[in-house]
Amino acid sequence: MESTNSTENIRMALVQIEKLVKLYTTLAATPSLSNVRILNSLNNNLIIQSKWTQRNLETKNNQRFLIDHIIKSDCTEISSSFPVDITTELMSTMTHDEKFKAVLRQVTIDNSKKEFIEIWDKQYMVKNYDLSALDVHGSVYTDNEFSSFKWSPDSTKLLYIAEKKLPKTEPFYKQKPQNKKDNKDDETVIAGNEYIYKPHWGEQLVDKHRPVIVILDTILETITTLSEVPDDLSPAQVIWTKEQDIIGVAWKHEPRYLEKLSDDKCAVHSPRISPSGDYLVWIERNVTNMHHNTQRLMLRDLRSKETKNSIIVDIVQTSETIKKNKQFYGIYGRLSDRCWSDDEHLFFSTPQKNNIFSYIVNIKTKTMVEIQNESGSLNILDVKENAIAFLSTSLTQPPCLMVGCFQHTELNTGDIPKTVITTPLDLGLDKYMYEGNEYTYDNDDEIKQFNFIYFGPKSGKTKSVPFIIVPHGGPHSNYANTFSLDFSFLVSSGFALVLVNYRGSTGMGAATVEFLEGRVGNVDVKDCITAAEESSKKYPWLDPKRIGLCGGSHGGFLVTHLSAQAPDMFKAVVARNPVVNIALMFHTSDIPDCRNALSKDEKIKCLHDVCCATTGITCNVLESGGEPDPLLYTKMLECSPIAHVNKVKAPTLVSIGTSDLRVPCSSGKSWYHRLKTNNVKTKLLVYDDNHQLSSGPAEIDHIINDCIWLLEHLKKDDDAELENEE
């Protein structure tokens, strides 16, 4: 009898796994919209190129493809092309008149990856530059922080960022071919420098050491690296002016690769020039002790001889009222590559509480209006004259492309008519609901409000649905109403989710972000518990006796904290690359900070008001003789989950990446070993991946394992009793 039950249990487990794998493959087929370009009109029709990324489970890589859409002047679609694979394209750009296109392509030749820059006209490939053979620089940067790939206004030069070519090195002792011993024309090779440490820019930027500005001249057939940038600065995000000068961002990398500063102690991003070339805008934020915070939109008149900057949209402390009596909570996002419709109107998107809204700013009057949107999040991808391309998405709707064509009067009202161009895959998510919730404490806290999103069944029998509290990472980021494979997978597997934007999250003003300072492990934990309690009250089908936890990074910090501080409330835990000891992070993370463990006064006392690295403030431990007060480590330890580990009861699944530089994998291992010592059920998954655990093999494995763990430990009591009897 016992053998029969065991066999049946195995069969049921295999059936469950088969269903989960099928669910994952269905959701993974959803492509994500990564880029859009509105091309010049043809016969009064618009041509829009959309670029998409889709998981290819067979090759275990992401596949990229391009679709051309022909749109009428009234923004209705005439036709679209079949997708064209562009997986080997790293970047591409067209000249302003669209006569030439440059493509950065990576191909594998003789088991070695090589990069080429191809120049195309509308009929054939005009030129091809083998960057490896030319050997002027290292790999071209294609990431979101540094990269650039721009044609000059005269359509003859390409501007980009690449790795600086360093002198070749070899061992002190190495026998050489006899015919090369006396060859004086060979490149100088330095002996003994093979193992010198090369600092890099950290998590997901490990191959970024010394960026340089590069100009490819297609007429002279030359590739030149600019030497004008000082050695202690790393250039990034470079663009051309109409006079063919270069403007960009420069980040300090001395004494460590920690800061992203301008001369006036501001973190700067997204320089963008107006269509006429007369105005420059960018976004910046003050250098504070926060990883991220509210930003301001700045402008400079490039025609003026004075270097005077104007604030177009200032930093918002709580909220401000804009046109149509709408509340605005500040800028947190980046500007799209093309964000101007003309020299007067600029478009941008940014998270606001638990959604993403889009706005139009008049730089002359400094007034702003929200672009009307019926539901979901609306993200601006490209703007050209009176046409604008949007990404539309929500928790129940995968990304789709929308296009709006507007008249000048609609720039003042935000009532831009929009047309859906692509139809999202039907994943059956319309049977679920999402709802934003706000909670205000009745206490004396300076910041009393936080928000959370419910995502799950629309109804159900009383206490019939297990639910999961999911705090975000960061900590200074937020959850918005956008499609997520992870969340769709869990909800489709029978759970409801509560996505918590605790105090300290972005999207609610600078004061909310800064409120977490000195209160980490306290107010963020309290907000998650409150969200669980309030959700149980508002949605009666949720079962308060079957609450799970799931989170990564600072979200992992919170779920481990919650499992210790409220051990009887939560029944199962999934922690991905969790921060469990802030004191350990301080000297081992690629962003050696104190994770908001200290208040401003404590930072002044312990660190002379110079604490976190990624926050942009130079840490005094980097200065000669500088060491923090030992009290700093005590406070950081007291704020950490590891201080409460002996209270944990809930079964805990820990996932870590061996290449994680943000939260060293030793953090998750230490939590696992402490739980094992305390006889708490636990399991450790170790991936050859970085902080995100987003590579193909790692993603499918941890998502399915997470779900199995939660399903197993959030069963109804009668189900568990039945299994025990068997």
Side-chain angles (χ1 to χ4, degrees):
M1 180 66 178
E2 185 175 334
S3 176
T4 302
N5 289 336
S6 177
T7 302
E8 179 64 17
N9 289 338
I10 293 173
R11 188 192 68 79
M12 292 177 64
L14 291 174
V15 170
Q16 181 189 62
I17 290 173
E18 185 178 344
K19 288 181 179 179
L20 293 177
V21 171
K22 184 177 181 180
L23 174 60
Y24 176 86
T25 56
T26 299
L27 295 171
T30 303
S32 59
L33 181 56
S34 55
N35 186 268
V36 172
R37 193 75 170 179
I38 303 171
L39 304 183
N40 293 335
S41 59
L42 178 66
N43 299 325
N44 294 322
N45 295 324
L46 286 176
I47 299 177
I48 297 179
Q49 286 188 341
S50 61
K51 294 182 179 180
W52 304 76
T53 302
Q54 183 176 354
R55 295 169 178 84
N56 188 321
L57 301 184
E58 282 67 36
T59 63
K60 299 180 181 180
N61 286 305
N62 288 330
Q63 195 149 355
R64 297 189 295 273
F65 58 89
L66 179 146
I67 302 176
D68 283 337
H69 312 269
I70 300 177
I71 311 295
K72 290 182 181 179
S73 57
D74 62 357
C75 280
T76 58
E77 185 178 31
I78 299 175
S79 65
S80 61
S81 67
F82 274 98
V84 176
D85 183 84
I86 56 169
T87 303
T88 60
E89 287 188 14
L90 301 181
M91 292 189 293
S92 66
T93 183
M94 289 188 183
T95 55
H96 182 71
D97 58 12
E98 297 178 4
K99 290 183 178 179
F100 295 99
K101 179 179 181 179
V103 175
L104 173 67
R105 192 180 305 278
Q106 183 182 78
V107 296
T108 301
I109 301 175
D110 297 330
N111 296 321
S112 178
K113 290 184 178 180
K114 297 181 181 295
E115 292 180 347
F116 298 84
I117 291 182
E118 304 165 352
I119 309 299
W120 294 79
D121 66 12
K122 293 188 176 182
Q123 300 182 61
Y124 70 107
M125 183 168 63
V126 179
K127 297 176 182 179
N128 192 8
Y129 298 89
D130 183 343
L131 299 183
S132 300
L134 294 171
D135 199 25
V136 177
H137 54 70
S139 296
V140 178
Y141 286 21
T142 59
D143 60 281
N144 291 328
E145 296 294 336
F146 288 91
S147 69
S148 178
F149 203 52
K150 306 289 184 184
W151 280 103
S152 59
D154 66 1
S155 303
T156 64
K157 301 178 182 67
L158 267 174
L159 178 67
Y160 58 94
I161 300 290
E163 183 68 18
K164 182 178 181 180
K165 181 184 176 183
L166 298 177
K168 292 183 179 179
T169 184
E170 64 183 14
F172 285 113
Y173 175 75
K174 178 184 178 182
Q175 290 192 354
K176 300 179 181 179
Q178 183 173 346
N179 60 351
K180 289 190 177 182
K181 282 186 177 181
D182 299 324
N183 191 344
K184 297 181 180 179
D185 294 331
D186 281 357
E187 182 180 353
T188 301
V189 178
I190 301 174
N193 282 356
E194 284 181 287
Y195 304 104
I196 287 180
Y197 173 63
K198 293 196 297 181
H200 54 72
W201 284 98
E203 178 69 25
Q204 299 187 64
L205 295 171
V206 292
D207 56 345
K208 310 296 187 293
H209 304 285
R210 292 296 299 273
V212 291
I213 301 172
V214 185
I215 295 177
L216 166 60
D217 191 318
T218 61
I219 304 300
L220 299 178
E221 302 271 307
T222 58
I223 297 178
T224 308
T225 60
L226 302 190
S227 58
E228 289 83 351
V229 179
D231 287 340
D232 64 339
L233 296 179
S234 289
Q237 303 171 36
V238 287
I239 55 177
W240 297 98
T241 67
K242 63 181 179 181
E243 291 84 11
Q244 301 203 164
D245 294 324
I246 296 171
I247 291 176
V249 175
W251 296 338
K252 287 186 69 175
H253 55 242
E254 294 292 347
R256 284 186 64 175
Y257 283 54
L258 300 174
E259 303 174 336
K260 302 176 183 177
L261 303 176
S262 65
D263 291 338
D264 53 357
K265 304 300 181 184
C266 288
V268 177
H269 210 284
S270 304
R272 304 288 187 261
I273 290 180
S274 66
S276 70
D278 291 341
Y279 299 103
L280 170 71
V281 294
W282 66 93
I283 54 175
E284 67 177 34
R285 65 177 177 87
N286 295 336
V287 173
T288 67
N289 297 309
M290 308 294 109
H291 286 292
H292 189 40
N293 207 336
T294 317
Q295 303 165 130
R296 63 172 66 89
L297 177 66
M298 302 295 296
L299 177 137
R300 178 181 293 184
D301 188 339
L302 297 178
R303 299 168 300 178
S304 174
K305 294 181 179 180
E306 299 180 10
T307 57
K308 183 179 179 181
N309 302 329
S310 301
I311 298 174
I312 303 301
V313 179
D314 208 347
I315 288 172
V316 177
Q317 289 300 314
T318 52
S319 68
E320 293 182 358
T321 303
I322 60 174
K323 281 186 175 182
K324 293 190 173 183
N325 207 32
K326 296 279 189 176
Q327 291 301 299
F328 178 69
Y329 299 92
I331 300 175
Y332 303 90
R334 299 175 177 180
L335 300 178
S336 60
D337 187 50
R338 295 197 299 188
C339 54
W340 301 82
S341 62
D342 52 42
D343 270 24
E344 187 173 342
H345 298 94
L346 183 138
F347 295 68
F348 70 89
S349 304
T350 184
Q352 299 285 280
K353 291 194 172 179
N354 47 40
N355 225 326
I356 296 176
F357 292 156
S358 294
Y359 298 90
I360 307 170
V361 179
N362 186 314
I363 66 167
K364 307 291 186 182
T365 62
K366 299 184 181 181
T367 56
M368 180 166 48
V369 64
E370 178 187 321
I371 297 176
Q372 298 305 304
N373 187 38
E374 290 71 28
S375 62
S377 289
L378 193 66
N379 230 325
I380 293 168
L381 297 180
D382 193 30
V383 182
K384 183 177 175 61
E385 298 173 352
N386 72 325
I388 181 167
F390 298 97
L391 183 156
S392 174
T393 183
S394 74
L395 284 162
T396 59
Q397 178 202 299
C400 75
L401 170 63
M402 298 179 71
V403 174
C405 299
F406 54 85
Q407 304 299 319
H408 193 271
T409 55
E410 293 164 342
L411 295 174
N412 298 318
T413 64
D415 297 321
I416 297 177
K418 296 176 286 293
T419 302
V420 176
I421 303 301
T422 61
T423 304
L425 292 180
D426 183 1
L427 302 174
L429 297 175
D430 54 351
K431 61 186 175 184
Y432 304 109
M433 63 174 279
Y434 60 84
E435 184 175 41
N437 296 269
E438 295 186 11
Y439 184 84
T440 303
Y441 291 103
D442 183 14
N443 59 25
D444 296 327
D445 287 348
E446 181 183 346
I447 300 297
K448 300 178 174 63
Q449 190 179 83
F450 75 98
N451 68 79
F452 59 93
I453 304 173
Y454 169 82
F455 179 33
K458 298 177 180 179
S459 62
K461 295 180 180 179
T462 302
K463 299 180 181 179
S464 63
V465 179
F467 69 103
I468 305 166
I469 300 299
V470 191
H472 61 73
H476 305 303
S477 61
N478 77 318
Y479 281 133
N481 182 18
T482 59
F483 177 78
S484 164
L485 186 151
D486 301 48
F487 299 159
S488 298
F489 187 85
L490 289 172
V491 168
S492 300
S493 299
F495 299 103
L497 305 182
V498 176
L499 313 175
V500 187
N501 287 325
Y502 45 83
R503 286 171 291 178
S505 303
T506 54
M508 296 178 280
T512 296
V513 175
E514 294 162 6
F515 184 72
L516 189 60
E517 192 174 28
R519 301 180 178 91
V520 71
N522 180 1
V523 299
D524 43 2
V525 171
K526 179 181 178 181
D527 292 350
C528 290
I529 292 175
T530 301
E533 294 172 340
E534 292 302 308
S535 297
S536 297
K537 295 175 186 177
K538 185 171 183 179
Y539 308 105
W541 52 88
L542 299 184
D543 188 349
K545 293 184 178 180
R546 292 189 292 154
I547 310 177
L549 295 165
C550 183
S553 194
H554 190 80
F557 169 88
L558 285 174
V559 299
T560 50
H561 245 310
L562 287 159
S563 67
Q565 292 197 36
D568 296 321
M569 187 175 193
F570 303 104
K571 307 304 181 184
V573 184
V574 171
R576 303 171 184 168
N577 288 320
V579 178
V580 302
N581 189 337
I582 301 174
L584 177 65
M585 286 271 294
F586 188 61
H587 285 298
T588 58
S589 173
D590 67 330
I591 52 170
D593 62 12
C594 47
R595 306 292 295 187
N596 292 285
L598 306 183
S599 67
K600 187 176 294 185
D601 290 340
E602 288 170 326
K603 286 173 181 174
I604 293 172
K605 178 182 178 182
C606 296
L607 289 169
H608 311 297
D609 199 20
V610 282
C611 188
C612 338
T614 53
T615 59
I617 300 180
T618 309
C619 182
N620 79 327
V621 297
L622 303 178
E623 297 176 4
S624 178
E627 271 300 324
D629 191 303
L631 291 176
L632 177 147
Y633 296 102
T634 302
K635 178 67 184 293
M636 288 193 287
L637 183 61
E638 290 172 349
C639 293
S640 300
I642 200 71
H644 307 279
V645 66
N646 293 333
K647 304 174 189 175
V648 176
K649 298 178 182 178
T652 302
L653 174 65
V654 181
S655 300
I656 59 175
T658 56
S659 301
D660 189 347
L661 300 178
R662 186 62 39 88
V663 182
C665 60
S666 57
S667 178
K669 283 182 181 178
S670 66
W671 190 256
Y672 165 78
H673 287 304
R674 289 296 296 272
L675 294 185
K676 289 275 286 186
T677 301
N678 293 345
N679 294 316
V680 176
K681 185 176 181 180
T682 185
K683 185 178 180 179
L684 179 65
L685 301 176
V686 182
Y687 299 100
D688 183 15
D689 204 350
N690 57 28
H691 189 59
Q692 300 298 321
L693 300 182
S694 58
S695 67
E699 183 190 69
I700 183 173
D701 189 84
H702 83 72
I703 285 179
I704 294 178
N705 266 305
D706 293 351
C707 189
I708 291 173
W709 187 267
L710 293 167
L711 287 169
E712 178 184 353
H713 297 102
L714 295 180
K715 294 175 181 176
K716 287 184 179 179
D717 290 339
D718 52 354
D719 291 341
E721 289 174 5
L722 182 61
E723 282 194 3
N724 290 333
E725 289 176 5
E726 293 176 347

